[in-house]
Amino acid sequence: MLLGCTLVRVLADGVRLSGVIVETEAYVGVRDRACHSFGGRRTPRNEVMYARAGAFYVYFTYGMHFCCNVVCGEADEPVAVLLRALEPTEGLEAMRARRTGARRDRDLCSGPAKLCQAMAIDREQNGVDLVTSADLWIECPMAAVVGTGSIVRGPRIGIGSGNVWTRRLLRFGLRGHPCLSVPFPREGVRKSESTRQVLGARASTRTGEGGGRVR
DNA sequence: GTGTGGATTATCT
DNA sequence: GATAATCCACACC
């Protein structure tokens, strides 16, 4: 479970940037049409998806943006979670400097490309091991555990349409949080679906056992 | 507040 | 050559 955990980045000059993960999307591997590894596709770009859980997968898109994912499968099991939004908590000054154009602090990291810009994440961080890196990791203190009632889910963003994978509710967020990238269609989870889907959410966004860092 | 279109390039077909 | 897990500015309500 990544929601509620904190992404931490330490810059070369020692400045520390961090934010609480408030929105994610699951990309569940070779069966998922919207996933870069669909059908077992393996290229230089998505090679990191085939690493073991804890690897950081950064890719470039739309000619000008970076997006970042946490790989969460075993080796050769290309499954990852896209980080879509953070609530900035440390280093706001540096984030504002990098995100000229963000009018409010809540918009510093309210999108997958925005958070990469704010957190100084680009190609350099592709393939970083979040478990051992000294300048990029995820902290998951027990106090950050999020109750299932605080989670909303909906269809993933920007992946076209036309098959069941575009409709599956694989986007997750903290209910009503001001830093979400896009509002969720309806701020709730239908009772008939909640139990099964929340269990699915936890399975697909979990990257390993608890502890100081995710692995 | 919502909706539209432009920016700009790695990657794969 | 087409596509893309996007963002931003601007127009309009």
Side-chain angles (χ1 to χ4, degrees), chain A residues 55-77:
Chain A
F56 203 56
Y57 170 42
V58 182
Y59 65 89
F60 184 72
T61 191
Y62 289 101
M64 65 185 88
H65 297 301
F66 291 97
C67 295
C68 64
N69 303 248
V70 177
V71 174
C72 52
E74 297 298 318
D76 291 328
E77 183 189 18

Side-chain angles (χ1 to χ4, degrees), chain A residues 1-80:
Chain A
M1 176 75 93
L2 288 170
L3 291 176
C5 296
T6 296
L7 180 67
V8 183
R9 172 103 169 92
V10 178
L11 302 179
D13 59 9
V15 171
R16 186 177 152 116
L17 310 175
S18 71
V20 176
I21 298 168
V22 300
E23 183 182 334
T24 61
E25 277 180 4
Y27 286 85
V28 298
V30 298
R31 294 172 305 136
D32 181 354
R33 286 197 97 78
C35 185
H36 288 172
S37 61
F38 173 67
R41 188 167 52 182
R42 187 167 184 165
T43 67
R45 177 170 77 147
N46 71 0
E47 179 62 31
V48 173
M49 290 193 81
Y50 290 80
R52 60 182 300 209
F56 203 56
Y57 170 42
V58 182
Y59 65 89
F60 184 72
T61 191
Y62 289 101
M64 65 185 88
H65 297 301
F66 291 97
C67 295
C68 64
N69 303 248
V70 177
V71 174
C72 52
E74 297 298 318
D76 291 328
E77 183 189 18
V79 175

Side-chain angles (χ1 to χ4, degrees), chain A residues 118-166:
Chain A
M119 298 284 283
I121 291 168
D122 60 24
R123 309 186 162 71
E124 294 288 301
Q125 281 67 48
N126 188 39
V128 162
D129 182 354
L130 296 171
V131 180
T132 58
S133 173
D135 49 37
L136 183 62
W137 66 89
I138 292 173
E139 294 179 351
C140 301
M142 289 305 290
V145 171
V146 174
T148 52
S150 308
I151 298 173
V152 273
R153 43 187 300 170
R156 293 176 289 186
I157 303 293
I159 55 173
S161 59
N163 65 74
V164 294
W165 289 101
T166 66

